[in-house]
């Protein structure tokens, strides 16, 4: 089954290869392979072990190619000595010995989850890796960190905070890798390649490992990481505060029309009119959003979640129904959109943060319909509200109102929670020298139309690493030196950790984990990142993604990756409202 993947030269296969899956998959074999003394202060619970063979399982994902896989599903628990009622669950999938290619894969979560159910684990099996996930000690694989973050009002569960921040993933990789070596009979001197894959919060978790545990990783494939936490989570509220400040709550259809018009107008600027806005930088330089004023919009009535942004993570209370939305784009609506895209500035006009790219959805700005008043009203972004209620105020998980909240309030929340969570959640430590010295590689990508984590957030981090690690090099020399081991790619038209229904012809880097493995093990540099159109009329088409700072430009149907200083400048911001460096 795995044979459909061309990239991987047959790796040295352990002597276990003559064994079958069932030869390595039983409770007693797994119990015997539990690594003792791997981490000080941890006790593995041998009685908790389960192991079962799973065959012929069809898997499909945006993060690895479709496959039918066989594996051994192992679970077990451990505890931290000295903590009452502590129990951390791990789930590890093992490939058949004949398919094992001396690889480990750690997988992460999204939102406030530390895993993605088992939806990320097949990527490991497909690429001949044992793959693991953790429940962080939160109670079950489906319990998110926020459910157990508050011990009492005013008191965080600091073990949960640190486990979520970075500790649980470190433990997963230490325990999981030694367990894998034991199962497959690898000696201490035999190399077990170690990889991480995750997107969004899972991307932040990946960076938490790369930044801290250089020796643990050979490579990481990271999408749209939710790092720079205090800024990222607070900025989710910025769109709402714009609406409140300008006292205009746009019907979702009006904002979607602005998005559609932006896409249509900026699509050709990249040299290829294909419905995909691949150059948001040229769009920022050449498109005037005010040209959308007066355009007719229409959205049919719906009984589902309100508005057109059905992909939004936002809670839609009770799936309320919405009326037909029919009107023209207003000057007020455009003012809201323009102010959102301009990013957070304080009352003195200084920049505190940045926002999404033109062409991205306005998910954070989504309003809710009140059938009593017949008006669209404020709907507080759930992730943003939770950051304030749970991690700043420590007395709940939702924010009930934004009364009195101004742009300055948002700035203060960004700064105060940066200080408070600098060592746990912030996750933008810019000096990766130990990781680089250990030979590590990172493939980092981000949808250019991400509506949940600003694309420029990933660019800012890459630029921070460049400045910190290559301070004496010219821009080009530093960028080229960094690109030898850490590359960041923007994904034309793509949404948050997924392809974008509004730009169906856009590509998605579905094989990024395989490309990372090829880079690490076979020195195949992903000069451009392999990507595939996963929906629409061109489904299956192959496209290549340019590595920043190069930008895609089509001439006569052929794409080049070009250097364009004015475009690069649209990605970088001076956060002069923040009194300390923001990496
Ligand atoms: C695997 O699944 C396919 C299609 O679902 C089925 O035809 C085949 O018999 C299955 N093979 C085994 C060994 O279960
Ligand atoms: C793996 O094993 C655990 C524990 O028995 C079980 O809860 C889970 O559903 C299994 N997953 C799969 C995909 O078989
Ligand atoms: C915190 O206080 C709120 C409001 O009084 C209450 O509803 C909630 O249950 C309390 N939470 C905890 C964890 O004690
Ligand atoms: C925006 O474009 C999509 C197709 O790409 C369409 O389904 C949707 O109705 C459009 N929205 C508006 C408000 O025109
Ligand atoms: C939308 O409004 C315009 C102008 O009021 C009207 O001409 C048109 O018929 C309406 N369309 C629908 C589908 O209601
Ligand atoms: C709708 O508006 C009415 C009148 O202002 C208000 O009492 C009610 O709480 C609102 N409904 C919702 C769901 O916000
Ligand atoms: C939570 O704490 C904040 C800040 O102290 C306070 O303003 C708010 O009313 C509290 N909320 C609840 C539900 O207790
Ligand atoms: C950069 O140059 C300064 C001044 O010459 C020197 O002290 C420093 O070590 C250099 N840094 C690096 C990373 O080469
Ligand atoms: C690149 O993606 C295409 C599909 O677009 C796939 O067929 C091919 O195997 C991938 N190549 C590599 C090296 O991953
Ligand atoms: C553009 O492409 C067409 C068709 O492939 C070809 O005939 C033409 O020579 C190309 N023009 C240039 C300037 O490359
Ligand atoms: Ca285009």
């Amino acid at each position: 089954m795995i044979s459909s993947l061309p990239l991987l030269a047959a790796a040295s296969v352990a002597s276990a290869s003559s064994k079958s899956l069932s030869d390595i998959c039983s409770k007693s074999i797994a119990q015997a392979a539990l690594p003792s003394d791997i981490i000080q202060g941890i006790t593995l619970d041998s009685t908790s072990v389960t192991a079962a063979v799973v065959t012929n399982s069809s898997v499909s994902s945006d993060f690895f190619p479709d496959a039918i896989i066989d594996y051994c599903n192992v679970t077990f628990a451990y505890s931290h000595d000295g903590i009452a009622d502590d129990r951390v669950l791990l789930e590890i999938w093992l490939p058949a010995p004949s398919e094992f290619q001396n690889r480990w894969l750690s997988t992460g979560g999204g939102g406030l989850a530390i895993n993605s159910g088992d939806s990320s684990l097949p990527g490991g099996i497909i690429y001949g890796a044992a793959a693991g996930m953790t429940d962080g000690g939160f109670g079950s694989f489906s319990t998110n960190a926020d459910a157990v973050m508050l011990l009492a009002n005013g008191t965080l569960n600091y073990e949960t905070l640190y486990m979520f921040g970075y500790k649980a993933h470190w433990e997963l990789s230490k325990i999981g890798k030694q367990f894998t070596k034991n199962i497959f009979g690898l000696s201490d001197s035999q190399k077990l390649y170690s990889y991480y894959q995750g997107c969004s919060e899972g991307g932040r978790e990946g960076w938490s490992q790369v930044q801290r545990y250089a020796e643990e990783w050979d490579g990481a494939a990271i999408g749209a990481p939710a790092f720079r936490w205090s800024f990222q989570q607070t900025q989710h509220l910025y769109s709402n505060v714009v609406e409140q400040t300008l006292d205009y709550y746009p019907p979702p259809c009006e904002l979607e029309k602005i998005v559609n018009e932006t896409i249509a107008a900026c699509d050709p600027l990249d040299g290829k009119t294909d419905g995909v806005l691949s150059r948001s930088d040229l769009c920022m330089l050449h498109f005037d959003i005010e040209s959308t004023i007066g355009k007719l919009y229409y959205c049919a009535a719906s009984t589902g979640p309100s508005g057109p942004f059905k992909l939004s993570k936002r809670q839609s209370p009770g799936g309320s129904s919405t009326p037909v939305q029919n009107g023209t784009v207003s000057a007020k609506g455009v003012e809201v959109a323009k102010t959102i895209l301009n990013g957070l500035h304080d009352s003195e006009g200084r920049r505190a943060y940045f926002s999404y790219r033109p062409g991205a959805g306005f998910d954070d700005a989504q309003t809710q319909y009140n059938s009593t008043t017949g008006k669209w009203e404020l709907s507080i972004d759930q992730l943003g509200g939770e950051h304030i209620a749970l991690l700043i105020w420590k007395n709940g998980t939702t924010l009930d109102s934004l009364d009195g909240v101004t742009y300055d309030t948002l700035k203060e929340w960004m700064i105060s929670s940066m200080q408070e969570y600098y060592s746990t959640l912030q996750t933008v430590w810019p000096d990766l020298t130990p990781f680089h010295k250990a030979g590590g590689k990172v493939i980092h990508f981000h949808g250019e139309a991400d509506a949940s984590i600003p694309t420029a957030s990933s660019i800012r981090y890459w630029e921070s690493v460049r400045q910190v690690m290559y301070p004496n090099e010219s821009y080009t020399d530093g960028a080229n030196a960094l690109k030898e081991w850490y590359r960041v790619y923007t994904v034309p038209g793509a949404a948050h950790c997924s392809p974008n229904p509004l730009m169906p012809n856009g590509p998605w880097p579905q094989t990024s984990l395989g490309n990372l493995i090829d880079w690490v093990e076979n020195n195949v540099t992903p000069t451009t990142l392999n990507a595939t159109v996963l929906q629409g009329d061109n489904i299956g088409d192959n496209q290549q993604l340019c590595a920043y700072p190069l930008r895609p430009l089509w001439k006569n149907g052929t794409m080049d990756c070009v250097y364009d200083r004015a475009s690069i400048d649209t990605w970088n911001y001076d956060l002069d409202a923040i009194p300390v460096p923001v990496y």
Side-chain angles (χ1 to χ4, degrees):
M1 174 55 273
I2 288 107
S3 58
S4 69
L5 296 163
L7 69 148
L8 306 168
S12 63
V13 172
S15 59
S17 64
S18 57
K19 294 184 182 170
S20 71
L21 195 53
S22 52
D23 289 337
I24 60 156
C25 195
S26 75
K27 178 168 178 159
S28 59
I29 292 169
Q31 281 174 325
L34 288 183
S36 52
D37 298 334
I38 190 79
I39 297 174
Q40 176 175 276
I42 273 182
T43 302
L44 291 150
D45 176 3
S46 165
T47 66
S48 69
V49 173
T50 73
V53 171
V54 179
T55 55
N56 217 20
S57 170
S58 289
V59 292
S60 176
S61 161
D62 292 343
F63 292 92
F64 43 77
D66 291 356
I68 300 172
I69 55 171
D70 299 341
Y71 56 92
C72 174
N73 171 23
V74 177
T75 67
F76 57 86
Y78 66 89
S79 58
H80 298 98
D81 303 348
I83 300 180
D85 301 325
D86 179 52
R87 180 180 161 88
V88 185
L89 258 175
L90 303 184
E91 182 165 323
I92 296 174
W93 288 9
L94 304 166
S98 59
E99 306 291 348
F100 180 59
Q101 308 224 31
N102 293 10
R103 297 180 184 132
W104 165 262
L105 177 72
S106 281
T107 67
L112 284 123
I114 198 167
N115 61 67
S116 308
D118 55 22
S119 68
S120 299
L121 299 177
I125 302 304
I126 288 171
Y127 292 107
M133 66 176 184
T134 175
D135 84 340
F138 309 152
S140 78
F141 287 116
S142 54
T143 308
N144 291 355
D146 50 349
V148 289
M149 190 67 85
L150 214 52
L151 288 176
N153 281 319
T155 305
L156 289 187
N157 185 336
Y158 288 98
E159 179 65 10
T160 293
L161 174 64
Y162 278 83
M163 285 295 274
F164 188 54
Y166 61 86
K167 202 157 77 87
H169 266 291
W170 178 67
E171 293 170 357
L172 166 66
S173 68
K174 292 294 278 187
I175 296 169
K177 286 195 279 181
Q178 190 58 51
F179 177 74
T180 301
K181 285 185 150 196
N182 293 349
I183 284 280
F184 291 104
L186 263 58
S187 68
D188 286 347
S189 62
Q190 272 177 295
K191 173 80 176 170
L192 179 69
Y193 285 100
S194 178
Y195 298 100
Y196 182 93
Q197 183 179 33
C199 204
S200 194
E201 162 59 21
R204 187 200 65 76
E205 290 158 20
W207 275 117
S208 79
Q209 302 305 293
V210 167
Q211 291 164 3
R212 286 181 179 79
Y213 306 114
E215 303 288 335
E216 293 295 326
W217 305 100
D218 294 294
I222 290 177
F227 57 11
R228 204 173 304 101
W229 179 278
S230 71
F231 289 82
Q232 166 55 29
Q233 301 304 95
T234 306
Q235 70 89 24
H236 272 304
L237 294 174
Y238 172 58
S239 299
N240 292 153
V241 176
V242 169
E243 292 168 331
Q244 174 169 283
T245 304
L246 298 178
D247 193 25
Y248 182 68
Y249 301 91
C253 189
E254 182 179 18
L255 290 176
E256 189 179 67
K257 184 66 180 175
I258 294 171
V259 171
N260 282 2
E261 288 293 319
T262 303
I263 294 168
C266 293
D267 166 12
L269 297 177
D270 55 32
K272 185 172 67 164
T273 304
D274 58 348
V276 183
L277 194 178
S278 299
R279 291 293 298 274
S280 62
D281 41 39
L282 296 177
C283 194
M284 285 169 80
L285 294 170
H286 301 299
F287 174 65
D288 182 2
I289 198 172
E290 297 198 1
S291 65
T292 63
I293 294 173
K295 301 276 185 192
L296 287 167
Y297 64 80
Y298 172 79
C299 294
S302 106
T303 48
S306 66
F309 298 115
K310 299 195 179 63
L311 291 175
S312 168
K313 284 194 302 287
R314 173 188 304 281
Q315 258 64 357
S316 181
S320 58
S321 58
T322 59
V324 67
Q325 298 171 61
N326 185 13
T328 56
V329 173
S330 64
K332 208 71 182 166
V334 167
E335 190 184 1
V336 164
K338 199 172 176 175
T339 309
I340 290 171
L341 291 178
N342 194 32
L344 175 64
H345 290 70
D346 69 8
S347 56
E348 292 176 51
R350 298 173 304 187
R351 178 179 288 281
Y353 208 49
F354 45 83
S355 186
Y356 307 108
R357 305 292 288 185
F362 288 95
D363 294 21
D364 290 347
Q366 195 178 354
T367 49
Q368 64 189 0
Y369 187 67
N370 184 324
S371 54
T372 309
T373 60
K375 287 184 173 155
W376 293 91
E377 295 180 341
L378 182 71
S379 167
I380 298 174
D381 180 86
Q382 203 270 330
L383 278 172
E386 178 156 40
H387 175 61
I388 311 309
L390 184 62
L391 291 171
I392 297 183
W393 291 347
K394 305 176 183 72
N395 63 4
T397 54
T398 56
L399 199 59
D400 297 331
S401 108
L402 286 175
D403 289 353
V405 174
T406 65
Y407 299 141
D408 285 346
T409 317
L410 294 180
K411 178 185 75 169
E412 293 308 327
W413 281 338
M414 287 174 173
I415 295 171
S416 65
S417 57
M418 167 163 65
Q419 185 180 29
E420 183 163 14
Y421 296 101
Y422 210 85
S423 71
T424 48
L425 298 172
Q426 198 71 358
T427 328
V428 282
W429 189 262
D431 179 18
L432 305 177
T433 303
F435 177 77
H436 175 43
K437 283 199 170 141
K441 305 271 196 294
V442 179
I443 286 177
H444 177 163
F445 57 87
H446 202 135
E448 193 146 331
D450 192 316
S452 182
I453 299 179
T455 317
S457 171
S458 284
I459 301 298
R460 184 178 192 83
Y461 180 69
W462 187 88
E463 290 281 10
S464 296
V465 175
R466 182 189 60 77
Q467 284 173 23
V468 165
M469 291 184 64
Y470 303 102
N472 298 342
E473 310 274 350
S474 70
Y475 182 82
T476 309
D477 288 352
N480 287 339
L482 182 53
K483 283 165 82 169
E484 285 182 13
W485 55 276
Y486 167 24
R487 302 174 81 89
V488 65
Y489 309 81
T490 61
V491 189
H496 182 58
C497 293
S498 77
N500 183 353
L502 289 183
M503 295 188 249
N505 295 333
W508 184 256
Q510 191 184 31
T511 58
S512 59
L513 178 57
N515 304 131
L516 174 72
I517 292 171
D518 249 1
W519 194 13
V520 167
E521 298 181 21
N522 303 324
N523 219 11
V524 179
T525 304
T527 307
T528 55
L529 185 59
N530 199 45
T532 311
V533 177
L534 293 177
Q535 55 180 342
D537 294 340
N538 302 339
I539 189 165
D541 277 9
N542 183 260
Q543 292 188 23
Q544 298 296 314
L545 310 182
C546 297
Y548 180 88
L550 300 183
R551 306 293 301 147
L553 187 65
W554 280 264
K555 283 204 182 103
N556 204 19
T558 304
M559 188 191 78
D560 269 338
C561 296
V562 301
Y563 181 88
D564 177 343
R565 189 70 239 181
S567 285
I568 294 169
D569 290 343
T570 71
W571 292 95
N572 296 296
Y573 297 93
D574 178 13
L575 306 185
D576 56 339
I578 312 296
V580 296
V582 181
Y583 295 116

